[in-house]
Amino acid sequence: MIETKKIAQTSPHRIPRVNRQGTLYLTGFHTIPPRFTTSQAELLDWLVEAHVHTGGLGRDALTSMFARHSASSEHIAFRGHELEDFSHRRWEEMELFSPKGSDLGEKTKFFEESVNMIFTRLYSAHAAPPGAIVHVTCTGYVSPSGAQRLVSLRNWGRRTQVLHAYHMGCYAAHPAVRMAAGLSVSAFESIEPIDIVHTELCSLHLDPKLHDPAQLIIQSLFADGFIKYQMKNSALADSVHEPRLELLAGREEIIPNSEGAMAWWTGPMNFQMDLSKEVPTLLASSLPRFIKTIVDEAGLDWGQEKDHLLLAIHPGGPSIIELSQRVLSARPDQVRHSRQILREHGNMSSATLPHIWQRILLDPDVPDGTLVASLGAGPGLTLSGLLFRKKDN
């Protein structure tokens, strides 16, 4: 067992802080790309064709609406998808997006099969069991989950706990990390790392029957993403000398009177998302104070650090990055990793922020000791953040 000091009573928003042996890091990032990758231009054209097939609007009108409301190829170059349907226009051969459509049960079955395969690929036959797996998703629900199935098949049940961080949407990596931190400093924690696994199949829930501008924006942004990473204490992380992110602080807040700003619910055919025009205004009014509070809770000074840290902003869309950069008076280079991930992958819901963290760790131009403020939002309207320090050795 790793000995830790008794945790002082502090703000309920704070990450538990322990002695040096209990310092917590994120490391060991491992991504699996979706089976198919399609250019944004091709996907937007596919969506126009799919909308035409559902009836209601003509091709010219839909082409004009997508050009006006969707994220362009300038901001998103490619999006990944596990489902082959988006790769062709043979509508009668579609698995889920045929003219007759598919219900939520059929999409859930595809989700289950895909997630089980992803877990098998993430954990080789010779993989060591982690102390726990925190499974994160908002795009499908199956019980037992892919994580539980893996633990059962590998006979890890006496060594590996399974927890689920579900239905929190784009910011869910933050509470998942906080859950892992709680396990890592608890009295019953063993020396095994805590794994966090994201399996997001957002593309299953694109609905070509919905033609309003807000839905066209959503359909032009989301993509599939799969990533695993580990939380380790310093004794484990130092033993392999791998790049890592030291966890310094974390916070979540629900913005008052914002419950109608963002929604994600189950419908008969798919999961449905709704976004209000108020989201940018709500975020702009809250972000400056929120990030200052996180930095203060880490014992640092926002005024001294704001020009040097990096911002890992969840790219809900290009405008969210631009808004965050403006209200935080940040330079383009401070948000470049968020822009890169959005351009290369699209919005992968909860898997997006970990992709940005991984990109920062792998970037040789980001020096050891750099502070990283990770920011995201989700239904609630919940504003969530973590503060890291990059450690190269």
Side-chain angles (χ1 to χ4, degrees), residues 59-125:
R59 186 183 309 278
D60 290 345
L62 284 163
T63 299
S64 176
M65 289 178 67
F66 268 101
R68 187 163 60 253
H69 299 291
S70 65
S72 70
S73 299
E74 177 186 355
H75 297 110
I76 300 176
F78 299 96
R79 285 191 281 166
H81 46 96
E82 196 69 9
L83 183 66
E84 189 177 7
D85 287 3
F86 304 101
S87 300
H88 64 86
R89 311 293 178 86
R90 301 182 301 276
W91 299 102
E92 296 300 331
E93 298 177 21
M94 296 286 177
E95 184 173 355
L96 295 179
F97 287 93
S98 65
K100 68 178 181 62
S102 57
D103 61 24
L104 185 57
E106 293 171 278
K107 293 182 173 72
T108 298
K109 182 65 175 176
F110 184 89
F111 175 89
E112 178 181 22
E113 293 170 352
S114 299
V115 169
N116 288 344
M117 181 182 65
I118 292 298
F119 269 96
T120 300
R121 293 177 62 190
L122 286 171
Y123 292 90
S124 70

Side-chain angles (χ1 to χ4, degrees), residues 136-138 141 164-172 175-176 179 252 377-379:
V136 191
T137 189
C138 69
Y141 305 112
H164 300 109
Y166 285 0
H167 216 69
M168 287 178 278
C170 294
Y171 76 98
M179 291 168 68
E252 287 181 14

Side-chain angles (χ1 to χ4, degrees), residues 278-324:
E278 297 178 352
V279 170
T281 302
L282 291 167
L283 293 179
S285 64
S286 303
L287 267 179
R289 176 199 52 77
F290 180 79
I291 192 171
K292 181 181 183 301
T293 302
I294 296 176
V295 173
D296 289 346
E297 288 187 345
L300 301 169
D301 183 85
W302 167 245
Q304 294 180 4
E305 304 292 348
K306 65 179 182 179
D307 292 333
H308 310 291
L309 56 70
L310 292 178
L311 295 168
I313 298 165
H314 176 81
S319 61
I320 295 297
I321 302 175
E322 294 164 6
L323 169 81
S324 302

Side-chain angles (χ1 to χ4, degrees), residues 36-233:
F36 305 95
T37 299
T38 303
S39 73
Q40 178 73 336
E42 291 177 286
L43 281 172
L44 293 179
D45 193 48
W46 186 97
L47 283 165
V48 168
E49 190 78 18
H51 277 257
V52 170
H53 268 74
T54 65
L57 290 174
R59 186 183 309 278
D60 290 345
L62 284 163
T63 299
S64 176
M65 289 178 67
F66 268 101
R68 187 163 60 253
H69 299 291
S70 65
S72 70
S73 299
E74 177 186 355
H75 297 110
I76 300 176
F78 299 96
R79 285 191 281 166
H81 46 96
E82 196 69 9
L83 183 66
E84 189 177 7
D85 287 3
F86 304 101
S87 300
H88 64 86
R89 311 293 178 86
R90 301 182 301 276
W91 299 102
E92 296 300 331
E93 298 177 21
M94 296 286 177
E95 184 173 355
L96 295 179
F97 287 93
S98 65
K100 68 178 181 62
S102 57
D103 61 24
L104 185 57
E106 293 171 278
K107 293 182 173 72
T108 298
K109 182 65 175 176
F110 184 89
F111 175 89
E112 178 181 22
E113 293 170 352
S114 299
V115 169
N116 288 344
M117 181 182 65
I118 292 298
F119 269 96
T120 300
R121 293 177 62 190
L122 286 171
Y123 292 90
S124 70
H126 305 292
I133 298 174
V134 181
H135 182 206
V136 191
T137 189
C138 69
T139 52
Y141 305 112
V142 178
S143 187
S145 68
Q148 290 171 321
R149 178 180 177 276
L150 175 83
V151 169
S152 177
L153 292 175
R154 297 290 172 83
N155 198 24
W156 291 351
R158 293 186 178 181
R159 296 185 62 178
T160 303
Q161 303 177 68
V162 174
L163 295 90
H164 300 109
Y166 285 0
H167 216 69
M168 287 178 278
C170 294
Y171 76 98
H174 291 161
V177 168
R178 291 167 64 90
M179 291 168 68
L183 287 172
S184 295
V185 300
S186 63
F188 51 82
E189 163 56 1
S190 65
I191 62 172
E192 286 89 0
I194 308 299
D195 287 2
I196 303 173
V197 179
H198 297 252
T199 60
E200 296 290 16
L201 284 88
C202 304
S203 62
L204 296 182
H205 304 292
L206 304 182
D207 191 347
K209 296 187 298 298
L210 302 177
H211 311 306
D212 61 281
Q215 291 300 319
L216 300 189
I217 294 171
I218 291 168
Q219 292 169 33
S220 74
L221 287 172
F222 283 93
D224 298 352
F226 314 109
I227 189 167
K228 175 175 82 74
Y229 50 103
Q230 296 185 315
M231 176 166 285
K232 295 182 178 180
N233 57 42

Side-chain angles (χ1 to χ4, degrees), residues 236-289:
L236 289 170
D238 290 347
S239 65
V240 292
H241 305 287
E242 53 194 346
R244 54 201 184 271
L245 293 171
E246 180 184 357
L247 184 57
L248 301 178
R251 186 175 185 85
E252 287 181 14
E253 297 178 7
I254 295 178
I255 299 174
N257 302 311
S258 65
E259 67 276 6
M262 186 182 299
W264 184 240
W265 70 93
T266 56
M269 303 299 287
N270 50 23
F271 293 172
Q272 296 182 21
M273 186 177 190
D274 191 23
L275 289 173
S276 166
K277 294 179 180 179
E278 297 178 352
V279 170
T281 302
L282 291 167
L283 293 179
S285 64
S286 303
L287 267 179
R289 176 199 52 77

